[in-house]
Amino acid sequence: MPSVGKAIPHESAVGHVTGTAPYLDDLPRYAGELVVGFAGAPFAAGRITKIDTEAARQIPGVVCVLTAADQPSAGATHFGPIFHDEPLLVSDAVSYLGQPVVVIATENEDALRLALSAVVIEGEPTKPVLTIDDAIAHDRYLGPVRHIRRGDTEAALKRAPHVLEGTFFCNGQEQFYLESQATLAVPEDDGNLRLISSTQNPTESQAVVAEVLGLPYHKVVCECPRMGGGFGGKETQGAIPAAMAGWVALLAQRPARVIYGKTLDMQITGKRHATKAWYRAGYDDDGGLLALDVTFVSNGGAFADLSTSVMERTMLHADNAYFVPDISITGKIARTNLPPNTAFRGFGGPQGIVLIETILQDIAQQTKLDAFDVRRRNVYGHDTRNVTPYGQIVRDHVLPELFDALETRCDYRPRMRQVEAFNAENRTHLKGLAMTAVKFGISFTTRFLNQGNALVNVYTDGSVQVSTGGTEMGQGLNTKIKQLVADAFGIDAASVRVMSTSTEKNHNTSPTAASAGTDLNGHAALHACEQIKERMAGFAAEQFADESRGLTKSPDDVRFENGVVYDRRAPDRRLPFANFCDAARRARVDLGARGFYATPGVDFNRETGRGNPFFYYTAGVAAAEITIDRFTGDLVVDRADVLMDVGQMINPGVDLGQLYGGFIQGVGWCTTEELKYGDDGSLLSPSPTTYKVPNATDTPRVFHVNTFPNPRHKVNVRWSKAVGEPPLMLGIAPFLAARHAMSFVNPDVLPPLQLPATNEAVLMAVTAMWQRDRPNAETAEEQRRGAAVQ
């Protein structure tokens, strides 16, 4: 029976649950293996004047101590996925606190700790630039300024009956993958190097290590067996530990391993970009958007990393699910003295989406309309009002249908009346209810990354190995690939093994990111299967041809189903797949192939801000009801309803897991997770004791997650849709529900709540709204009671 469409268990489920799935730190130690670490800059900005490693070199067990002066002369001095602006080690100018300065390799962990503490780094610190506002004041930016425009926004704003103007800030977010950054480097014959790395991007790690060490790419192989989570944080940031391990291994000719501790990982790796937006939105009496002018400035950190691409996606999602006739979007990246920020699930999309959802919520409060009606009025249409600001037609979607369906399913109108009644009577708590949407573009916005390749080998016992450039970080990619390949050959999924990702089997690959892992690698794997099946069918047609029964050679009539091969014209003669493979090999039929896939129709010109950056869109809506304690600011998500169009699911169990998990991660970004930095650039929330990721008590008390059919969607592998990133943006709904709750405190004042809505932030926002003048709103007695509550 076909396995696609079935919730077969995740291929590593047992290993994950029992703790037997080996991660990089679990791999057995090699004989003579070295432990590698680094000493970082003691200040966030300034210049180094002294690096003294002599005492460290004298520590027993120290094998090598390396500084920037020791880097191979043939190697590149700087690296980066877009701009080569980041050094491996600091030699002079310091750009962020903890930036690597000295690499040390030792025989054991104790020697490493002693040696690192013996390193002396002195310098001339200067005041660091840490915030977006500070960077603007100092005119410090990374990369070019980008624009996306349609129509005459200024004229439309002048004509608009109403204009909403303001600023909005959303903080960053820590990826908080369970397995920290890690690489094991093993030297091989003839100056070759093998890396085993916890990375979403083996090709990037291969390239950076080769370039830093002055090696051609073919002398470096990077493997990724599995990751303990990634969420974008291992797309580029694994390059530094990989380069350190590779450098030591090549120099000492001994295996070398780098494993970051959790606190160190949080302190020096990049995160989701904090972003500030300045906006003006024109609208009519019915809440219809007429114009939007917005400038986004993100906190890129010290170096470019992926910031320009992340900002690009923020701009591309500033419309989210809504049509804006006249719109102007500008994007800039602030350069600060923080670790370079990087990819995070959603890749800039959440920062754009939360802004327009907040604007629509505030327009509803200003017009005294229900926010659902405001959103529903502005949602993209099918035949009209269906073109994005960058000129792409929003095709084959079900956005209006999603709104209408969830409105009914979650009893939105009756519950809104209940919320209003509760807030009219209760003096200690507030309730809020909001429904938000997501329209997330699927594809890399950099065109050349929209490609994948795969290697498929069929063995004579009927079993199959598949290798792709996709990496498994717990999201179920390998399980879906296994199902697709199994169905291609008509065999059980247990007969298919997806191999560890390696650059020697799949070269020049794209990172497993942009929610496109299954799309790219699944298509490529099926392309390889088609080539093999074409050869198999030709051989089978010869075997099944029978003149006495009038059966001519007809490859088109050969079927691969339920573990057997047969001619559909004579189904009584069936060959077990394994027997057929053995016979095919003996007849010298090639049972292996390399597949390739390039996403069609994607082409975006970032200079003009026009084009088709996405193959399709994954869309959904969510309704969230929350309760706020007025005394403490405690925010509880009472209920959440999620409804998404994810096409025809390859594995419903895996996909639903992504929907649940993505939503909760979004709720964490919006309500509990807060990055705090000291004036010296130090991260003050570098562990679970100070950084609040969601736990069981933060999940909605009632939680409904469902999918919605979309008969219009007829593209992509098995008509599926990407599900990795889109549900995170629906975690914005509880944040907007909190703003809705606050509107009952003072309907004449827009809530000052920014993101994240931590308990402290909620309490301060509610207090601030009570303290504002409320003309024609309360009697003196009501004001007295309200003050007493506060």
Side-chain angles (χ1 to χ4, degrees):
M1 294 292 292
S3 63
V4 169
K6 293 183 178 178
I8 70 170
H10 188 290
E11 50 99 23
S12 293
V14 173
H16 291 163
V17 172
T18 61
T20 57
Y23 294 91
L24 206 142
D25 200 23
D26 300 317
L27 300 181
R29 267 49 185 171
Y30 283 80
E33 182 179 310
L34 299 175
V35 181
V36 181
F38 70 90
F43 45 85
R47 58 184 295 269
I48 292 175
T49 58
K50 178 182 179 181
I51 302 173
D52 187 348
T53 62
E54 192 56 37
R57 295 176 190 273
Q58 304 307 314
I59 302 291
V62 171
V63 175
C64 60
V65 178
L66 304 170
T67 67
D70 300 307
Q71 282 187 244
S73 58
T77 58
H78 291 73
F79 66 92
I82 300 175
F83 307 111
H84 290 193
D85 62 342
E86 184 171 1
L88 175 62
L89 297 178
V90 177
S91 60
D92 183 11
V94 173
S95 298
Y96 62 90
L97 183 66
Q99 186 178 3
V101 179
V102 180
V103 173
I104 299 179
T106 64
E107 302 282 1
N108 54 66
E109 293 280 358
D110 289 339
L112 180 62
R113 281 193 292 271
L114 289 172
L116 291 175
S117 63
V119 172
V120 176
I121 302 172
E122 297 177 355
E124 299 170 348
T126 58
K127 185 178 180 180
V129 172
L130 302 174
T131 68
I132 292 170
D133 288 338
D134 283 348
I136 293 172
H138 288 84
D139 196 30
R140 286 170 48 117
Y141 295 98
L142 289 163
V145 178
R146 298 292 188 197
H147 302 280
I148 295 175
R149 297 187 178 102
R150 174 172 60 196
D152 189 337
T153 305
E154 286 300 324
L157 285 168
K158 289 178 181 178
R159 293 194 304 268
H162 311 282
V163 174
L164 179 68
E165 185 171 355
T167 61
F168 183 79
F169 176 78
C170 53
N171 207 348
Q173 185 180 18
E174 163 66 36
Q175 290 90 352
F176 211 86
Y177 33 72
L178 294 182
E179 179 191 31
S180 296
Q181 301 284 356
T183 296
L184 168 62
V186 182
E188 297 183 329
D189 293 345
D190 196 29
N192 297 316
L193 189 62
R194 181 171 296 272
L195 306 171
I196 304 173
S197 184
S198 183
T199 176
Q200 295 172 237
N201 198 346
T203 289
E204 174 77 7
S205 295
Q206 174 197 31
V208 169
V209 172
E211 290 166 4
V212 167
L213 300 182
L215 299 173
Y217 288 7
H218 77 283
K219 296 188 77 67
V220 180
V221 171
C222 183
E223 300 176 5
C224 178
R226 61 161 49 87
M227 280 172 282
F231 305 115
K234 295 179 181 176
E235 183 172 342
T236 61
Q237 303 253 313
I240 287 180
M244 290 177 179
W247 186 7
V248 168
L250 204 63
L251 182 67
Q253 283 299 293
R254 294 170 60 176
R257 192 179 316 221
V258 174
I259 306 288
Y260 286 1
K262 176 53 68 178
T263 298
L264 175 65
D265 191 297
M266 292 183 70
Q267 287 173 333
I268 69 161
T269 59
K271 313 180 188 313
R272 185 186 299 285
H273 294 70
T275 302
K276 190 171 185 179
W278 290 258
Y279 63 88
R280 292 177 296 155
Y283 60 98
D284 59 25
D285 293 341
D286 296 323
L289 279 170
L290 302 174
L292 176 63
D293 175 67
V294 58
T295 296
F296 294 102
V297 182
S298 67
N299 190 330
F303 303 108
D305 199 88
L306 291 166
S307 291
T308 52
S309 292
V310 171
M311 174 53 72
E312 187 173 276
R313 190 171 275 269
T314 296
M315 297 168 67
L316 290 169
H317 286 80
D319 61 323
N320 191 24
Y322 311 103
F323 178 78
V324 187
D326 293 87
I327 187 168
S328 176
I329 309 163
T330 299
K332 303 178 181 180
I333 302 147
R335 182 176 184 179
T336 62
N337 293 114
L338 295 176
N341 285 316
T342 189
F344 194 125
R345 195 176 192 173
F347 203 79
Q351 292 94 314
I353 290 172
V354 72
L355 175 66
I356 193 165
E357 291 288 353
T358 300
I359 289 171
L360 290 171
Q361 191 76 31
D362 288 352
I363 287 174
Q365 182 177 336
Q366 296 281 62
T367 56
K368 300 187 177 2
L369 298 170
D370 191 292
F372 172 89
D373 296 323
V374 173
R375 289 185 171 90
R376 182 63 178 82
R377 173 173 181 183
N378 288 287
V379 75
Y380 274 109
H382 292 298
D383 300 317
T384 60
R385 297 170 52 86
N386 63 344
V387 181
T388 66
Y390 43 92
Q392 180 164 355
I393 298 174
V394 186
R395 303 180 188 276
D396 304 325
H397 67 91
V398 286
L399 282 165
E401 294 85 347
L402 283 163
F403 269 101
D404 295 342
L406 191 58
E407 177 193 14
T408 301
R409 292 190 188 192
C410 78
D411 299 319
Y412 178 85
R413 303 290 181 181
R415 288 170 59 204
M416 182 59 76
R417 290 192 290 271
Q418 292 171 5
V419 165
E420 292 168 350
F422 179 92
N423 289 335
E425 298 294 330
N426 199 288
R427 307 301 297 175
T428 62
H429 290 77
L430 291 165
K431 276 188 174 291
L433 175 62
M435 187 186 297
T436 63
V438 61
K439 173 186 66 66
F440 193 76
I442 306 301
S443 291
F444 288 95
T445 55
T446 299
R447 185 171 182 265
F448 81 87
L449 293 176
N450 292 292
Q451 59 176 298
N453 62 70
L455 177 65
V456 175
N457 294 324
V458 179
Y459 293 91
T460 54
D461 66 347
S463 63
V464 182
Q465 286 184 350
V466 188
S467 302
T468 77
T471 54
E472 176 61 54
M473 62 194 89
Q475 84 279 33
L477 170 64
N478 286 357
T479 306
K480 289 185 175 183
I481 297 292
K482 176 187 289 194
Q483 291 176 266
L484 290 168
V485 172
D487 279 13
F489 291 112
I491 59 178
D492 189 90
S495 296
V496 179
R497 178 186 176 192
V498 181
M499 310 302 291
S500 295
T501 310
S502 172
T503 57
E504 68 180 336
K505 290 177 290 186
N506 300 98
H507 67 306
N508 304 336
T509 59
S510 300
T512 304
S515 299
T518 300
D519 294 8
L520 296 177
N521 297 289
H523 269 297
L526 289 180
H527 180 228
C529 294
E530 289 164 6
Q531 297 173 62
I532 298 169
K533 284 178 63 179
E534 184 177 358
R535 301 183 204 121
M536 283 181 159
F539 172 66
E542 295 177 355
Q543 307 306 302
F544 292 130
D546 188 343
E547 292 184 6
S548 67
R549 300 177 64 181
L551 298 178
T552 59
K553 287 194 297 184
S554 177
D556 291 341
D557 289 310
V558 174
R559 296 292 181 267
F560 299 82
E561 296 175 354
N562 300 321
V564 297
V565 183
Y566 66 96
D567 188 311
R568 69 179 182 87
R569 298 169 299 173
D572 55 307
R573 185 185 175 193
R574 295 170 178 253
L575 294 177
F577 186 72
N579 295 358
F580 174 78
C581 291
D582 184 63
R585 188 247 181 167
R586 293 178 183 278
R588 299 187 296 181
V589 176
D590 183 1
L591 299 181
R594 179 184 182 275
F596 181 79
Y597 175 74
T599 308
V602 291
D603 192 11
F604 177 69
N605 186 327
R606 52 181 52 90
E607 299 297 329
T608 63
R610 306 287 293 176
N612 296 309
F614 306 120
F615 188 31
Y616 62 88
Y617 297 94
T618 295
V621 291
E625 181 178 336
I626 60 94
T627 299
I628 292 172
D629 186 321
R630 295 192 193 212
F631 290 101
T632 65
D634 185 41
L635 186 156
V636 174
V637 183
D638 301 309
R639 175 175 170 179
D641 295 78
V642 174
L643 185 62
M644 292 205 69
D645 163 26
V646 294
Q648 297 189 20
M649 293 181 284
I650 294 172
N651 187 313
V654 167
D655 286 355
L656 286 172
Q658 290 292 299
L659 299 183
Y660 279 101
F663 179 84
I664 294 300
Q665 195 169 42
V667 171
W669 174 54
C670 291
T671 64
T672 68
E673 300 181 38
E674 186 170 26
L675 296 169
K676 283 283 192 180
Y677 292 92
D679 293 339
D680 62 348
S682 61
L683 179 64
L684 303 178
S685 50
S687 75
T689 62
T690 50
Y691 185 78
K692 179 66 173 67
V693 295
N695 59 24
T697 62
D698 296 307
T699 58
R701 302 299 188 264
V702 178
F703 198 6
H704 301 142
V705 176
N706 292 287
T707 60
F708 189 79
N710 181 354
R712 301 183 181 96
H713 178 68
K714 302 294 184 183
V715 298
N716 203 37
V717 57
R718 297 298 295 265
W719 296 352
S720 65
K721 282 191 173 188
V723 298
E725 293 172 285
L728 183 142
M729 275 67 83
L730 293 179
I732 294 169
F735 171 75
L736 273 301
R739 289 181 69 95
H740 173 244
M742 291 178 187
S743 69
F744 290 93
V745 175
N746 188 338
D748 299 315
V749 178
L750 292 177
L753 188 65
Q754 309 273 286
L755 188 153
T758 62
N759 293 357
E760 297 90 340
V762 169
L763 181 61
M764 288 189 287
V766 171
T767 302
M769 294 186 72
W770 268 106
Q771 294 172 345
R772 294 286 296 272
D773 291 334
R774 306 179 67 209
N776 306 318
E778 293 180 322
T779 65
E781 177 60 21
E782 287 173 331
Q783 291 179 8
R784 185 193 66 77
R785 288 203 308 267
V789 168
Q790 292 301 310

